[in-house]
Amino acid sequence: MYKKIIAFALFLSIISFFTAFYNDYNSNLYYVLSFFNYSIAGWIDVGWIEARTLRLFFNFLLFVGVITYYFSKGKETRLLRFSFATLFVQLCFGVVVQFIFILNRFEGIEVKSYAGIVISYVITFFVLYVLYKSLKYMSDQQSLDFETVAYTESTEVYYFKTGNWERLLHFIIDNLIFLLIGYQLFSGILMFEFFNYFGIVRGDDADRFFLLIVFPVFSFVYYYIFEKLFSATPGKFLTQSRLVNSEGLVPANSHVLLRTLCRNIPFDGVSFLFNASWHDNLSNTEVFKEKKSEISGAYYFLIIPIFGILLFLVKAIEGYLHTTNI
């Protein structure tokens, strides 16, 4: 499984990098590669950040993740699990968007296009399956960090809780994923005339609809699915943290559901900063640390400046090629 994960991640990363620069949309090569072009970010600009820059950044994270996974012989999984998890989110909601697109254009779709749609769905579900199995495998290879204390007549095992600053990082990262992936997909959906039947408007009203309706629903599905399937969210993958019950075991489905519902309590997301942790206490769950990997997490902060330098070089080369008409 270790070698399969490496081959799979490298394949996705290389294809995504290539299609970011290969712009011959009408060629047969691009048509074939488009079935495997699973960029982690969407296709809509976010503020002053170009969509392609976001895609390149997340693809760069995926590439670095598989390289560290390979050289650590499967021990360093933080970045790869995070990349796989965010890609898993995007593909799940991407399937929904594609289905809405088919409903919206059902009568205008040519017969020959149905073959491409079927192939696209088959490949997407296959990729989702491989992502799921890979995340399960890598998570199962990790174990909780603990210390054993020997007393006169007994021995106690103590697990290490995830610190408040790391949990704040979880909160920030997971919410950024909501805003980045959720809003881009929502914006794409609103482009379809299909939604006129539901009276969903555009502009400021659409933004309010997203924040009041779509965002909470997306948040619920996001947290419940990840903590039920993997006992962690993408943010927790980055800090090597895991959701468990009070005994350090996988929590029951009812506990995960209650924990997810408790997240709707006002200010629950930052309650841990005040030693409250409402969704932990009310659901009888904890967030514990996994055993530390060989690579210090501080090194990952170098990714941003390194990516900035690479992006500058890419734009400089593209600008040179454009001015010289090469």
Side-chain angles (χ1 to χ4, degrees):
M1 189 66 179
Y2 163 72
K3 293 182 179 179
K4 293 179 181 178
I5 291 175
I6 293 174
F8 174 72
L10 279 177
F11 176 77
L12 290 184
S13 179
I14 292 172
I15 293 297
S16 298
F17 272 127
F18 183 78
T19 52
F21 298 100
Y22 185 72
N23 299 320
D24 190 1
Y25 304 119
N26 296 320
S27 68
N28 292 329
L29 176 60
Y30 186 88
Y31 178 76
V32 173
L33 293 179
S34 65
F35 289 117
F36 303 95
N37 181 23
Y38 295 107
S39 298
I40 298 175
W43 301 89
I44 302 174
D45 294 345
V46 179
W48 54 270
I49 304 177
E50 295 179 355
R52 193 184 73 157
T53 300
L54 287 171
R55 295 198 304 273
L56 287 174
F57 177 71
F58 279 103
N59 290 332
F60 181 66
L61 291 183
L62 175 60
F63 181 75
V64 174
V66 68
I67 293 301
T68 55
Y69 182 70
Y70 171 75
F71 282 104
S72 67
K73 300 187 183 303
K75 296 179 181 179
E76 178 57 55
T77 63
R78 276 176 289 186
L79 205 54
L80 188 56
R81 281 195 289 172
F82 170 78
S83 298
F84 274 10
T86 50
L87 182 56
F88 187 85
V89 176
Q90 175 121 346
L91 288 184
C92 285
F93 284 89
V95 167
V96 176
V97 173
Q98 190 176 30
F99 179 71
I100 294 173
F101 172 80
I102 295 173
L103 291 179
N104 187 57
R105 302 289 181 87
F106 183 78
E107 295 182 355
I109 297 178
E110 298 179 1
V111 176
K112 63 180 181 180
S113 299
Y114 282 108
I117 293 173
V118 172
I119 293 173
S120 178
Y121 264 106
V122 170
I123 295 177
T124 299
F125 280 113
F126 172 74
V127 172
L128 279 170
Y129 173 76
V130 176
L131 289 172
Y132 167 76
K133 296 295 289 186
S134 299
L135 285 169
K136 288 290 290 184
Y137 172 81
M138 288 187 287
S139 296
D140 290 343
Q141 298 302 303
Q142 308 299 312
S143 58
L144 293 176
D145 197 6
F146 66 91
E147 64 177 355
T148 304
V149 179
Y151 297 100
T152 303
E153 298 180 355
S154 63
T155 300
E156 294 287 343
V157 175
Y158 294 94
Y159 297 103
F160 295 102
K161 284 188 175 183
T162 300
N164 286 345
W165 288 110
E166 289 176 307
R167 298 198 65 174
L168 179 61
L169 184 62
H170 301 165
F171 177 77
I172 294 173
I173 290 174
D174 289 327
N175 277 275
L176 284 176
I177 293 175
F178 296 159
L179 294 174
L180 178 61
I181 298 179
Y183 187 73
Q184 292 203 43
L185 291 175
F186 177 68
S187 299
I189 289 174
L190 287 185
M191 296 172 62
F192 301 144
E193 293 299 326
F194 172 80
F195 270 83
N196 287 340
Y197 294 109
F198 297 93
I200 298 177
V201 295
R202 294 167 173 78
D204 294 337
D205 289 338
D207 292 340
R208 285 191 289 269
F209 179 81
F210 172 77
L211 292 175
L212 295 176
I213 306 298
V214 178
F215 187 90
V217 173
F218 185 19
S219 173
F220 178 87
V221 174
Y222 175 93
Y223 276 110
Y224 178 75
I225 288 180
F226 270 108
E227 294 188 334
K228 176 64 176 68
L229 294 180
F230 311 113
S231 297
T233 61
K236 293 182 180 67
F237 283 141
L238 273 183
T239 64
Q240 293 183 289
S241 300
R242 184 186 303 181
L243 174 68
V244 295
N245 60 20
S246 57
E247 299 176 351
L249 303 175
V250 177
N253 181 53
S254 58
H255 290 181
V256 177
L257 179 60
L258 178 59
R259 175 186 175 88
T260 307
L261 291 173
C262 288
R263 292 183 183 277
N264 294 315
I265 300 174
F267 305 106
D268 169 78
V270 293
S271 62
F272 58 85
L273 294 176
F274 310 102
N275 297 319
S277 299
W278 295 325
H279 61 268
D280 288 345
N281 297 330
L282 293 174
S283 63
N284 194 30
T285 56
E286 300 279 0
V287 180
F288 288 161
K289 291 289 294 180
E290 295 176 340
K291 287 186 177 180
K292 294 181 179 179
S293 55
E294 297 178 344
I295 301 177
S296 172
Y299 287 110
Y300 285 120
F301 287 103
L302 296 174
I303 288 177
I304 296 178
I306 291 175
F307 175 76
I309 294 172
L310 293 175
L311 183 63
F312 174 80
L313 293 175
V314 167
K315 289 186 176 296
I317 293 172
E318 287 182 334
Y320 173 76
L321 295 176
H322 178 74
T323 55
T324 55
N325 295 321
I326 297 179

